[in-house]
Every structure is written in structure tokens, then in C-alpha cells.
Amino acid sequence: MTAMADKRCTADDVVARLESGMTIGIGGWGARRKPMSIVRAILRSDLTDLTVASFGGPDVGMLCAAGKVTKVVFAFVSLDTIPLEPHFRAARQSGAVAAEEYDEGQFLLALQAAAWRVPFLPTRVGLGSDVGAHNPRLATVTSPFPGPGGLPAEELIAVPALELDAALVHYNVGDARGNAAFTGPDQYFDDLMLEAAPTGGRFVSVERIVPTAELRASAGCDHRLRINRMMVDGVVEAPNGAHPTSCDPDYGTDEAAIAAYAATAKSAEAWDSYRQEWLTLPDETAYQSKLRATREGRS
Amino acid sequence: MTIPTIRRADVCAVALAEIFRGDGEILANPIGTTPMVGGRLARATFEPDLMMTDSEAALIADDVAYGWGDDKVLETWNPYRRMFDIVWGGRRHVVMTPVQIDPYGNMNFSAIGGTPEQPKVQLLGFRGGPGNTINHTTSYWIPNHNAKTFVESVDVVCGVGYDRAAALGPTSSRFHEIRRVVTNLCVIDFATEDRRMRLASVHPEVTVGEVVEATGFDLVIPDSVPVTRLPSDDEIRLLDEVIDPEGRRLREVPEP
């Protein structure tokens, strides 16, 4: 009998399957449920020249500050409680990273078009605004159908497919085969990110891996079983792996850690010292141990 | 006898409630402290059918404007992706806060100066500005009315104004409406022939001259400018006791 695929791997295994120059989609939203353990593995690696597509938070800021990024595909980059991501701003204002800007709904359509393997999806979103002037990939398309009430046919924005080379997302619970569930309030766009990436480049980290037979009970509700194994090439067990972002209901945002990270945008020295202390540890286990030790020291 | 003072924040909250008058059963989505308070006030009084968010992934029935606990009353699940269904379906009235806004209501919160490749100041990005303004009713809240915000021309058009909408023609612009701009000084609408901003009312103790001075372009000023509607006793009670008992609006809009 042929064995079922066991897709368990480490964050460093994931990074070994990525390449410099890739376009990488990162799941989550702002400072919420970011696959930070894999982002930390990228920060430890020699990967460079990345295009990062993200409903952006500290994932984007850290990768920009570390010089890993050539282009950011975004509608916003925010730390939630700190509305503007300071490292991302610095990278944009110095001209260090290029931008491919979207309205956040256009971003959804770009991922959906890639997932459905169509060249674009039409929308009214973007008409009249400067988003098309900022993003030359956006085009216009005239509806083949008559307009409403005898008006001329509608001109719409054509949002091109955002084809990723890899996608990284973080969920609450999964199995070894790549099925996974979110148990917090929002799925965000993680499943679309995975579907917009090709076979071989789709990775999910989870708070905990359980046997498939326990997945439904762990999810608590059928509707949360949003990621299935056809969408996934590798599963990383990463408890507290979204830190410092939130992973509701397992844990909230570590606001003190977010604030400390944000403060390092003040100077190159502050960032270097933060990176040295937190982002050059040998692996995720070391990061989590240092975090626990720091918290015990605090209390 | 003490003369009851009219708090500026309460006037702003009422003006923000008034923008939702007549909206009925749609998603009232006022973003920001005083807009959230104003939206809740509208629902608690004259627009009971409005739906409102918990700023996360649910629409909730609670009258309190923020800080809900686990006992909040959920009406429906509304994750981010579902929000686009509502935006593109048009049953929504959003309130956003611009960094810049021009006489026709074009709005910017994306970036200031420089070029698209290298802005001088990177702000939020386009966020949902383009999609909101072309699909459903939009209003704006400006807690600090000043000439750096009200500018002749914005650096990046994130939210579509009336002149840009008109240039798109009647088909593409048929869902576009900028209803009102509420500030700490006044209420502005677009009730002019060419849809240029018009001073609709000034808050109590604010002069027209003050507004003109704080605006970086010529507003249309009617011959007679009314005073913004004052809060009723019932509204003040609701604001103080139910909707915003911590007084967050009073911190956002301090007394002049």
C-alpha cells in the first residue's frame, strides 16, 4: 500500500524551497495571524530580491528593513494599533522598494483571478481614482453588454491575475497532510493566497498539528475547515508562530513587542541591535525560548 | 443657576449621526472614534435599522460605540472578504478621514509629495478608498479642520470626488455620492451646481470667517449659514450614559 503524503516540515525546510527573486504571498492581515515563524526563517536566510504581496503588517516591514525586498504589492501596510508601519514607510521614502499598489478589493480580485486561472477580473473599483496611474498593470475593459437603462456599455477596471511563486500562511490547527482550520473570527485571504501559488510553493504553518480524525473537533465547526490538502505542499508546526502578531483565539497581539519593533525604525543602529537580538537566532525554537525567558524576566 | 454648555464633541457626534438620516437598512460604517459614536447615535434614535460593525469580523446590535465584551450581540458574521460583497453591492455608507481633500471631494490618505515610486511621506496606501467611493455613499470626518487638509489639489486621489466622477460619465458614476464632510468646525455638503463644496452649517460659536481661514480653497458660502443642529437632552443622555460613557469623543474633539 502506498503511504499518504506527510507534508510536515520546518520553517527552514520551507525557505530551502524558496528562491531569490520570487513573488511571495504572505497571509494574515495587518498585525493579525502572520506566518512569522517562516518570515523569521527568511530573515535568517540569504534569500533576496523578493516581491512580497501582503495585506501588510510587520511581515512586510521586517523583510523591507532587512533588505530582502525589491517590490511590495500592497493596498496598505499597518501594525493596527500603530496605523503606519514605520520600516515599510522608511523603505518607500528612501526609494529602496518599488510598489505595486492596489485598492484592497482589487487585491482580492487579483488573487482570485490567479486562483481561477483567468487573466483578469472586471470591477468598478479604481475608476476615477489615481490607483491606475500608480499601478500600470491595471487596465480598462469595456463590457460586451449594453449599459443599464440604455446607457452606453460600462467601462470597467481589469485587475490582472496576481500569480505568486509561493504562498505562506498561518492557521490555528492542521493535520500532517495539509488540511487546516482557522478558529478565530476571520479567515482573511489565506486560502486565496495558497490557490494563487503553484504546486510546490504553498506552505501553511499551524499552532498545532492533530490527527485528521481530530481536526473537526479541534476546529469546533465544519465551516472553519477552510484549507484543504490540495492547496498545500508543506505544513509547519509552529506554536506561537504568529508572534508578535495575533492568532485569535490562541493569543492576541503582543503589543509591547510590536511597539518595541516599531521603535527600531528610529535609527539603523536600533534596527541592527533588534535584528541581532531577535532575528539572528539559529532557529524558531531559540526565538520562542528567548521570548519565554524575556517574559519570565518581565513578570 | 448654571447654564448648560454645549460640548463641541456632542455637536460633531450629532452632525455625524445626521449623515445617516434616511439610510435605512444598510451597513453604516463610520471609521474613527467620533464617527463610531455618531453612527451609534443615529441607530439609537432615528435610524434603527442601520447595521454596524465591531471593527473586526461581526455586525453587532450593541449601542455602545466601542470596547464590546464577549457578550456583544452578533447579528451576522462579516469577515473582511464579506465586506467587499457589501461594498460592491452598494448597501453601505462609509465615513473615512482624509489627510487631504479638495473642493470636489477628491480625497487622499495614501502618500504626500514625491513620486509614486518614491513618496516623500508614505501614508496608508489606497486601502479601500477607490472601491468605497465608486460603489456607495461616502462621508468624511476631519477632527482638525485646517488648510493643510483642505487643499486646492490632493497629491494622490484615493477617494473619487465629484469632478472625477462626472468625467467618468453617468454609467460609471451612478453609485457615487459624497454626502457630507463633518469637521470640528462645521458641516460641508456639495449642494451646488458644479458639486463644489458648500458650507452647510457652522457649529455653535464658530464663525464663517474662522472656517474660511482654516480652508485652503474657496468654499461656496451661502448668503445665510445656519448653525449645526444642537444635541437634544435625550441625545446627550444617550451619548454620556450608553454610547460613549468613557467620553472618547471628548478627547478627540476637545473644547475650543
Side-chain angles (χ1 to χ4, degrees):
Chain A
M1 190 183 120
T2 310
M4 295 181 303
D6 183 342
K7 296 176 186 163
R8 284 176 292 181
C9 62
T10 67
D12 294 302
D13 294 336
V14 171
V15 169
R17 287 147 84 174
L18 304 177
E19 287 169 27
S20 293
M22 276 187 164
T23 296
I24 300 180
I26 302 181
W29 199 98
R32 304 173 200 186
R33 227 183 54 231
K34 287 288 177 181
M36 294 306 291
S37 71
I38 303 176
V39 170
R40 283 187 278 274
I42 295 175
L43 291 166
R44 286 194 297 274
S45 75
D46 56 6
L47 285 175
T48 186
D49 187 28
L50 301 175
T51 292
V52 173
S54 178
F55 290 84
D59 51 330
V60 173
M62 285 186 193
L63 291 168
C64 284
K68 298 290 190 191
V69 179
T70 308
K71 183 160 83 173
V72 182
V73 183
F74 71 101
F76 64 85
V77 180
S78 173
L79 298 174
D80 289 3
T81 47
I82 300 169
L84 304 176
E85 216 297 350
H87 287 287
F88 167 70
R89 294 184 80 190
R92 288 285 293 133
Q93 291 167 195
S94 71
V97 298
E100 185 173 313
E101 299 191 69
Y102 291 96
D103 167 280
E104 54 196 56
Q106 290 178 332
F107 199 160
L108 159 71
L109 293 175
L111 292 169
Q112 185 67 77
W116 285 342
R117 306 182 298 173
V118 294
F120 71 93
L121 284 170
T123 179
R124 196 169 289 115
V125 175
L127 292 174
S129 82
D130 277 344
V131 69
H134 280 233
N135 181 348
R137 290 196 70 217
L138 293 166
T140 55
V141 61
T142 303
S143 167
F145 304 106
L151 289 166
E154 283 199 70
E155 185 167 274
L156 297 163
I157 299 287
V159 180
L162 178 51
E163 285 165 359
L164 305 174
D165 297 311
L168 314 172
V169 310
H170 187 76
Y171 256 34
N172 300 84
V173 59
D175 68 13
R177 308 181 76 187
N179 300 302
F182 71 100
T183 58
D186 206 316
Q187 62 200 357
Y188 307 120
F189 305 87
D190 295 358
D191 50 333
L192 277 181
M193 289 267 183
L194 294 171
E195 288 170 332
T199 303
R202 307 161 305 165
F203 302 98
V204 56
S205 57
V206 293
E207 288 296 313
R208 56 203 166 273
I209 290 177
V210 300
T212 304
E214 291 171 24
L215 195 53
R216 185 186 183 192
S218 297
C221 166
D222 298 4
H223 311 147
R224 295 170 175 167
L225 295 160
R226 187 77 192 186
I227 291 176
N228 68 64
R229 56 195 169 84
M230 285 186 287
M231 300 155 66
V232 173
D233 301 299
V235 186
V236 180
E237 187 165 46
N240 205 41
H243 181 271
T245 70
S246 65
C247 185
D248 285 333
D250 290 299
Y251 46 90
T253 310
D254 185 341
E255 294 292 357
I258 290 278
Y261 154 71
T264 65
K266 283 198 195 87
S267 69
E269 294 73 33
W271 165 249
D272 286 344
S273 130
Y274 176 84
R275 193 181 178 189
Q276 195 64 38
E277 185 178 358
W278 287 100
L279 303 173
T280 55
L281 298 163
D283 57 21
E284 180 68 10
T285 308
Y287 177 89
Q288 295 293 343
S289 303
K290 180 174 168 58
L291 186 62
R292 276 193 300 278
T294 307
R295 283 175 171 170
E296 278 156 20
R298 237 186 256 155
S299 61
Chain B
M1 183 183 120
T2 55
I3 299 161
T5 51
I6 300 159
R7 291 176 298 199
R8 181 69 57 83
D10 292 349
V11 174
C12 292
V14 167
L16 284 160
E18 283 290 341
I19 65 173
F20 295 107
R21 191 179 285 276
D23 275 345
E25 200 155 53
I26 62 152
L27 175 62
N29 202 169
I31 301 165
T33 303
T34 310
M36 282 285 264
V37 170
R40 246 84 192 176
L41 181 62
R43 184 165 68 175
T45 54
F46 54 80
E47 280 301 326
D49 291 334
L50 294 174
M51 298 193 82
M52 296 192 75
T53 75
D54 66 350
S55 306
E56 180 92 35
L59 303 186
I60 60 172
D62 303 69
D63 281 334
V64 65
Y66 43 76
W68 315 275
D70 289 339
D71 59 347
K72 63 189 171 191
V73 181
L74 262 72
E75 296 197 74
T76 192
W77 183 46
N78 191 57
Y80 280 108
R81 202 180 308 184
R82 184 85 186 117
M83 188 63 102
F84 297 116
D85 299 331
I86 300 176
V87 172
W88 300 341
R91 295 183 188 280
R92 181 169 182 251
H93 179 174
V94 74
V95 181
M96 300 183 283
T97 290
V99 175
Q100 296 178 318
I101 192 165
D102 79 6
Y104 295 97
N106 295 292
M107 177 279 284
N108 174 27
F109 50 32
S110 182
I112 304 281
T115 62
E117 292 74 35
Q118 185 178 2
K120 186 157 179 285
V121 182
Q122 174 72 53
L123 300 169
L124 282 177
F126 281 94
R127 281 228 57 172
N132 291 343
T133 49
I134 205 67
N135 276 299
H136 59 62
T137 304
T138 300
S139 292
Y140 292 112
W141 161 241
I142 295 166
N144 176 20
H145 190 135
N146 70 82
K148 279 188 177 164
T149 304
F150 285 89
V151 293
E152 196 63 61
S153 171
V154 302
D155 292 6
V156 183
V157 174
C158 297
V160 180
Y162 276 108
D163 54 345
R164 291 252 191 152
L168 292 171
T171 313
S172 295
S173 63
R174 66 194 189 277
F175 305 122
H176 176 269
E177 180 194 5
I178 305 177
R179 190 165 295 168
R180 242 161 277 170
V181 181
V182 177
T183 82
N184 60 323
L185 300 181
C186 65
V187 177
I188 289 163
D189 64 20
F190 298 84
T192 55
E193 204 153 308
D194 68 345
R195 293 310 185 85
R196 205 181 150 91
M197 281 191 190
R198 180 192 80 134
L199 184 57
S201 70
V202 288
H203 299 339
E205 295 177 30
V206 176
T207 65
V208 171
E210 232 177 296
V211 174
V212 167
E213 195 168 318
T215 307
F217 53 80
D218 291 338
L219 282 170
V220 176
I221 312 283
D223 293 338
S224 154
V225 178
V227 173
T228 309
R229 177 170 84 74
L230 301 185
S232 68
D233 291 345
D234 186 46
E235 284 172 326
I236 290 171
R237 185 194 59 77
L238 277 167
L239 289 171
D240 282 341
E241 295 174 17
V242 180
I243 295 169
D244 182 25
E246 291 172 29
R248 292 194 195 186
R249 71 193 184 284
L250 305 173
R251 290 196 287 280
E252 184 174 53
V253 187
E255 286 306 295

